[in-house]
Amino acid sequence: MAREFDVDLLVDNGLGKGAAIRQAIKYVAGDIVVFIDADGSHDPADIPRLIQPIVNGECDHVTGSRMKGGSDELHGDFAKFLRMLGSDIITLGINYRFNVRLTDSQNGFRAIRSEVARQLPLKENITTIEQELIIKTLKAKYRMGEVPTHEYKRKSGESKVSVRRMWPRYVYTWLKYMFSG
Ligand SMILES: Nc1nc2c(ncn2[C@@H]2O[C@H](COP(=O)(O)OP(=O)(O)OP(=O)(O)O)[C@@H](O)[C@H]2O)c(=O)[nH]1
Ligand SMILES: [Mg+2]
């Protein structure tokens, strides 16, 4: 489908979302890079609102917040409750460590000033890249912002996030990147 449009198409190296994002950042040509889930969870119509604080010169990195914009996938069963709890604890840690007041540290919908994205020393191969992007932006003293965006039920595919398998990596990278390198 992508090939039907006049776009550059990169194929990732198969290591995961973090690896794909790190690979993509190297090719970004414009002033602002936007990341959006490919499964229909996010509405491209929200992109102008997402980039506005960067265009205004108020922020260097803006994430969509499901806490402010609502989500069709975040609540309702025990597994979702556990993910929500873990995600909230991680966000809280980031807020007190860097004296910010973010509400969503795990959303894949974000816009970053390309120059800033290229400078971040990113290491994660999997979805822990989301919190790594935020922590390392704040650590480098760049300005984070949030705008409300709604998360829709995914239209195809399945979640690649397995809390049971991945939680140690989430905790490890949260603490490591907040307090050391
Ligand atoms: N290029 C690339 N993109 C990926 C990969 N894994 C995930 N993604 C992207 O990330 C999006 C979200 O992946 P999900 O597995 O739904 O992860 P999530 O949205 O953080 O988690 P859920 O809350 O469970 O939906 C996908 O729609 C893809 O666009 C990957 O290995 N390579
Ligand atoms: Mg998703």
Side-chain angles (χ1 to χ4, degrees):
M1 281 172 71
R3 285 187 211 283
E4 288 170 18
F5 298 90
D6 184 23
V7 293
D8 291 335
L9 179 64
L10 291 176
V11 178
D12 72 39
N13 57 16
L15 292 177
K17 183 177 190 178
I21 283 184
R22 294 194 289 119
Q23 191 184 345
I25 285 172
K26 292 187 196 140
Y27 290 89
V28 168
D31 295 336
I32 299 172
V33 54
V34 172
F35 294 103
I36 183 166
D37 284 6
D39 57 5
S41 295
H42 305 141
D43 186 353
D46 286 336
I47 292 175
R49 232 160 8 97
L50 195 68
I51 66 170
Q52 198 59 54
I54 301 180
V55 173
N56 292 349
E58 297 154 9
C59 294
D60 301 299
H61 177 168
V62 180
T63 73
S65 169
R66 297 166 294 177
M67 313 315 150
K68 291 176 174 168
S71 171
D72 301 337
E73 293 210 322
L74 220 48
H75 308 283
D77 61 35
F78 190 66
K80 286 174 178 156
F81 168 75
L82 276 186
R83 280 181 66 158
M84 194 61 248
L85 186 66
S87 162
D88 260 358
I89 291 170
I90 289 170
T91 308
L92 210 57
I94 293 172
N95 285 347
Y96 280 90
R97 165 68 178 83
F98 297 105
N99 195 24
V100 290
R101 290 297 178 263
L102 302 176
T103 62
D104 194 348
S105 60
Q106 305 299 331
N107 200 345
F109 200 13
R110 65 180 72 254
I112 315 177
R113 211 144 63 69
S114 306
E115 194 194 321
V116 170
R118 280 193 285 267
Q119 282 173 34
L120 302 177
L122 302 169
K123 298 201 172 79
E124 292 305 290
N125 281 338
I126 59 168
T127 41
T128 41
I129 193 80
E130 313 293 4
Q131 64 194 43
E132 185 188 23
L133 279 161
I134 293 177
I135 292 170
K136 290 188 172 171
T137 294
L138 292 166
K139 210 159 184 192
K141 305 220 179 302
Y142 287 113
R143 299 159 300 172
M144 281 298 312
E146 267 187 352
V147 296
T149 57
H150 190 85
E151 180 183 43
Y152 297 87
K153 205 169 177 55
R154 84 172 58 76
K155 293 183 179 62
S156 65
E158 280 170 20
S159 173
K160 289 192 179 171
V161 179
S162 158
V163 174
R164 191 177 303 183
R165 206 159 29 87
M166 294 176 175
W167 74 264
R169 188 75 201 167
Y170 274 88
V171 174
Y172 175 75
T173 57
W174 173 53
L175 296 174
K176 181 173 182 338
Y177 297 146
M178 277 201 308
F179 296 110
S180 70

